Amino acid sequence: MEKNKAKILVIDDDPDFRDAVTPILESALYKVVIASNAEEGKEKIFSEKPDLILLDIMMDSLFDGFSLCHAIKTYKEYKEFKDTPIIFISAVKEKTGSRFMFKGEEQGLVGPDDYIDKPAKPKDLIARIEKLLRK
Amino acid sequence: MLEKKPVILVIDDEEAMRDSCCQILLKEGLLTETAEDGSIGLEKVKETKPDLVLVDLKMPGVNGMEVLEKTKEIDPNIITVVITGYATVESAVEAMKKGAYDFLPKPFTPDQLRIIIRRGLERRKLTLETESLRKEKKLIEDSFITMVSHQLRSPLVAIMQYFEVIIGGMVGEVPGKQKEMILKARNRLESLMNLINDWLDVARLDSGQIIDKLKPLSLKKIIKKLIDDMEPLTKDGYISLELGSCSKNDLVQGDEETLEQVFSNLITNAIRYNKPKGRVLITIKENKDFIAVEVQDTGIGIAKDHLPFIFDQFYRVKRGEDQKIKGTGLGLSIAKKIVEAHGGSIQVSSEIGKGSIFTVFLFKGEKDDSKA
């Protein structure tokens, strides 16, 4: 293991996706922590203090990824984490899945720092993570 | 929910008239705004977003009829009531045609004003309720398609993600033959996902969901962006992809996302079915009511007996066995549905061995007579 590589929290309800994405992140020497729903994600944010969060949009409900993102970016209880980069990962594509519905600004929600469609291309995923972590 | 007090905007050049209307309305517990001429009135319509506008027909400058029209443009849900001393049947009819809800001839009693305002506000309430129901219905439908999309794609996405990890060598080296097969499996899976995407597009188009609000769009801008995006596709066949002549006016009434899809599809086809070192030329022309975009290729062309069917769902022009089939067979039918949902049309002419020209006609964007 390299020195001090960043810790990434993956919040996704699909166990196969979590299993598949973990080796990608580990190949870039990140530490990976997983959570299988928004609730568990909340706990892990406080206990693990991740450097970046990969967040699925649709888990138990259509919007829970969005609500969690908004909460992290704006609520007082998450103050410590408001600058933690968040990347949305979703299987719903722009054209087919009415991503426009999720345009957070229109519903007064604060959106993520980046957005990646599933399946994620390993190189693309790593590049985007690196970029956000460098900031 | 907290009910806001209704706001009535009174537009009249006579100060006495404005004052007396306001007095009556304030007693009714309504909020009032006033304007002494049409152009100030329209500014206030934008600023204060009134529930109802009382407007005098005869005013110097911007007259009442114009105020009616412009108010409808700003927000079609605002109720307008016309007041005038020149109450004739003709002006009443014209005002109604311009979207006025009611007509109040001068002089009128406080009671007459109260009744008409009350009726107008009831109408306003109904309009707003209908609007919010419509939105809610759309949200439910959109959510349904989003859910279906999610349920169908999730398992495939998980499989695909495993493939990406294996192919990327992130869980150990994969021997050549195995890697080759996994790549093939991934390609088939990718086709299946594309098919699902296209099929969902068709579903959304058929339920009239995609074309939501049309707004003026520059076709030149859309096409320039697509040409930049598609540059990499031209590399394999050394194909030149360029935007030729453009008419001065390139504005259409359109929905950006879906129109991009149309031209992306046509340009991709023009590249894909071209000859090596071929050319794809896009031009934008203007005629009386339409803007026409031509996508011309120097490719293999389409035989006459196939031409009538190429916009049908799942129709494919049969070619030799060795020809790799890409795409889902839905692309052109989706393009046609999108263009038709815009009130436009799409045409093709082709000559085997020489190439094809696809032309898309769309309504011009600046004026909005289409709803009449």
Side-chain angles (χ1 to χ4, degrees):
Chain A
M1 272 292 201
E2 219 172 274
K3 34 163 191 175
N4 287 334
K5 262 288 191 174
K7 188 191 277 183
I8 296 176
L9 172 60
V10 179
I11 308 177
D12 196 307
D13 62 342
D14 185 337
D16 286 317
F17 182 80
R18 297 195 303 265
D19 278 0
V21 85
T22 302
I24 299 177
L25 301 175
E26 284 174 350
S27 77
L29 305 176
Y30 292 118
K31 284 178 206 148
V32 182
V33 183
I34 57 172
S36 55
N37 56 48
E39 203 49 44
E40 197 188 331
K42 274 182 201 170
E43 287 165 22
K44 293 269 165 86
I45 289 170
F46 290 109
S47 63
E48 299 283 345
K49 304 189 189 315
D51 300 294
L52 184 143
I53 301 167
L54 282 185
L55 178 57
D56 188 21
I57 297 179
M58 283 194 230
M59 291 180 282
D60 295 328
S61 79
L62 269 181
F63 299 108
D64 49 4
F66 231 117
S67 318
L68 180 58
C69 176
H70 180 74
I72 295 168
K73 299 277 180 195
T74 61
Y75 292 3
K76 243 192 192 152
E77 53 170 317
Y78 293 99
K79 211 173 148 200
E80 191 188 337
F81 306 101
K82 76 172 171 31
D83 295 322
T84 307
I86 298 177
I87 302 178
F88 272 173
I89 32 168
S90 178
V92 173
K93 282 218 168 185
E94 193 155 15
K95 278 178 193 157
T96 49
S98 50
R99 187 196 289 177
F100 59 86
M101 274 179 62
F102 302 123
K103 278 192 180 142
E105 307 79 45
E106 280 165 29
Q107 318 202 4
L109 293 175
V110 176
D113 299 271
D114 203 351
Y115 190 112
I116 295 177
D117 286 326
K118 285 184 192 173
K121 298 276 180 203
K123 276 185 189 156
D124 183 39
L125 178 63
I126 302 290
R128 284 167 193 250
I129 291 174
E130 298 272 327
K131 196 175 156 204
L132 285 174
L133 286 177
R134 242 177 299 160
K135 275 184 185 171
Chain B
M1 228 166 54
L2 265 174
E3 287 238 359
K4 240 178 57 204
K5 271 189 183 177
V7 179
I8 317 290
L9 171 63
V10 184
I11 310 175
D12 197 317
D13 54 330
E14 282 176 51
E15 197 183 350
M17 193 64 189
R18 294 197 299 272
D19 288 349
S20 59
C21 283
C22 286
Q23 269 180 14
I24 299 165
L25 297 172
L26 283 169
K27 267 190 205 152
E28 289 287 289
L30 302 166
L31 299 176
T32 56
E33 291 282 342
T34 57
E36 62 266 32
D37 67 43
S39 56
I40 296 176
L42 286 170
E43 282 308 309
K44 289 224 170 166
V45 170
K46 282 182 206 155
E47 258 171 51
T48 63
K49 299 194 170 64
D51 295 277
L52 188 149
V53 177
L54 260 181
V55 57
D56 187 15
L57 273 190
K58 282 262 168 159
M59 288 184 295
V62 180
N63 69 33
M65 290 295 177
E66 264 182 88
V67 173
L68 282 181
E69 270 178 285
K70 298 260 165 66
T71 302
K72 284 285 151 192
E73 275 170 29
I74 295 165
D75 180 354
N77 292 330
I78 293 176
I79 304 291
T80 45
V81 174
V82 165
I83 32 174
T84 180
Y86 300 82
T88 61
V89 176
E90 287 81 35
S91 52
V93 169
E94 201 197 334
M96 295 301 194
K97 273 190 186 162
K98 295 264 194 283
Y101 172 68
D102 218 334
F103 194 87
L104 190 61
K106 271 192 232 176
F108 50 84
T109 65
D111 271 340
Q112 282 171 325
L113 178 65
R114 273 186 217 114
I115 288 167
I116 271 187
I117 295 288
R118 218 173 286 155
R119 209 155 58 192
L121 287 176
E122 250 162 50
R123 168 76 185 188
R124 163 85 172 163
K125 212 172 143 199
L126 279 175
T127 314
L128 290 183
E129 271 169 16
T130 314
E131 179 73 4
S132 83
L133 279 175
R134 197 190 61 79
K135 275 192 190 146
E136 199 173 317
K137 180 169 168 276
K138 192 176 172 314
L139 193 70
I140 290 168
E141 283 170 359
D142 278 358
S143 303
F144 178 74
I145 286 175
T146 305
M147 284 314 288
V148 172
S149 164
H150 188 246
Q151 300 294 351
L152 283 174
R153 285 178 55 92
S154 287
L156 302 179
V157 158
I159 300 170
M160 195 74 134
Q161 198 68 66
Y162 279 128
F163 283 161
E164 293 286 353
V165 172
I166 295 169
I167 294 163
M170 281 149 185
V171 284
E173 274 307 304
V174 189
K177 190 71 189 164
Q178 285 182 24
K179 191 168 180 177
E180 195 184 304
M181 284 194 174
I182 289 172
L183 280 170
K184 282 183 181 169
R186 185 185 67 170
N187 287 347
R188 292 305 292 267
L189 191 61
E190 205 157 19
S191 309
L192 178 57
M193 287 173 73
N194 288 336
L195 180 61
I196 290 173
N197 290 347
D198 280 1
W199 183 79
L200 285 163
D201 274 354
V202 172
R204 293 182 68 208
L205 278 166
D206 282 349
S207 63
Q209 281 182 41
I210 285 190
I211 313 299
D212 208 5
K213 15 183 165 145
L214 306 184
K215 55 176 190 193
L217 291 175
S218 159
L219 284 180
K220 193 174 170 183
K221 220 167 120 193
I222 290 180
I223 285 166
K224 272 195 170 158
K225 181 176 167 268
L226 284 172
I227 287 180
D228 285 346
D229 290 351
M230 296 198 168
E231 196 59 41
L233 291 180
T234 61
K235 294 273 152 59
D236 278 350
Y238 302 100
I239 294 186
S240 87
L241 169 60
E242 57 195 282
L243 179 60
S245 66
C246 270
S247 55
K248 238 187 197 163
N249 181 4
D250 69 329
L251 288 184
V252 297
Q253 282 293 110
D255 167 70
E256 188 164 1
E257 194 183 319
T258 53
L259 281 188
E260 238 184 66
Q261 203 180 341
V262 170
F263 294 113
S264 156
N265 178 279
L266 294 180
I267 297 170
T268 310
N269 282 347
I271 296 170
R272 191 184 286 161
Y273 297 119
N274 221 312
K275 290 176 190 155
K277 294 187 182 163
R279 183 174 189 219
V280 177
L281 178 66
I282 301 155
T283 52
I284 302 175
K285 289 175 185 156
E286 173 183 9
N287 65 25
K288 196 163 155 280
D289 301 312
F290 291 100
I291 304 286
V293 181
E294 274 186 18
V295 180
Q296 183 173 6
D297 67 59
T298 54
I300 50 182
I302 305 159
K304 267 210 170 73
D305 44 337
H306 288 302
L307 270 184
F309 307 109
I310 57 164
F311 293 106
D312 291 356
Q313 286 179 20
F314 298 111
Y315 187 82
R316 280 181 178 291
V317 178
K318 284 191 194 79
R319 273 183 218 107
E321 275 274 311
D322 55 324
Q323 197 102 35
K324 270 189 197 148
I325 297 176
K326 265 194 167 181
T328 58
L330 284 169
L332 280 179
S333 74
I334 291 173
K336 186 167 185 257
K337 274 175 199 282
I338 293 172
V339 172
E340 285 175 357
H342 280 78
S345 68
I346 185 166
Q347 284 174 9
V348 59
S349 67
S350 188
E351 201 174 324
I352 210 96
K354 282 204 168 165
S356 311
I357 304 174
F358 284 83
T359 313
V360 174
F361 297 91
L362 291 162
F363 273 117
K364 281 187 184 174
E366 9 37 347
K367 50 180 182 180
D368 197 358
D369 297 343
S370 52
K371 282 172 201 153

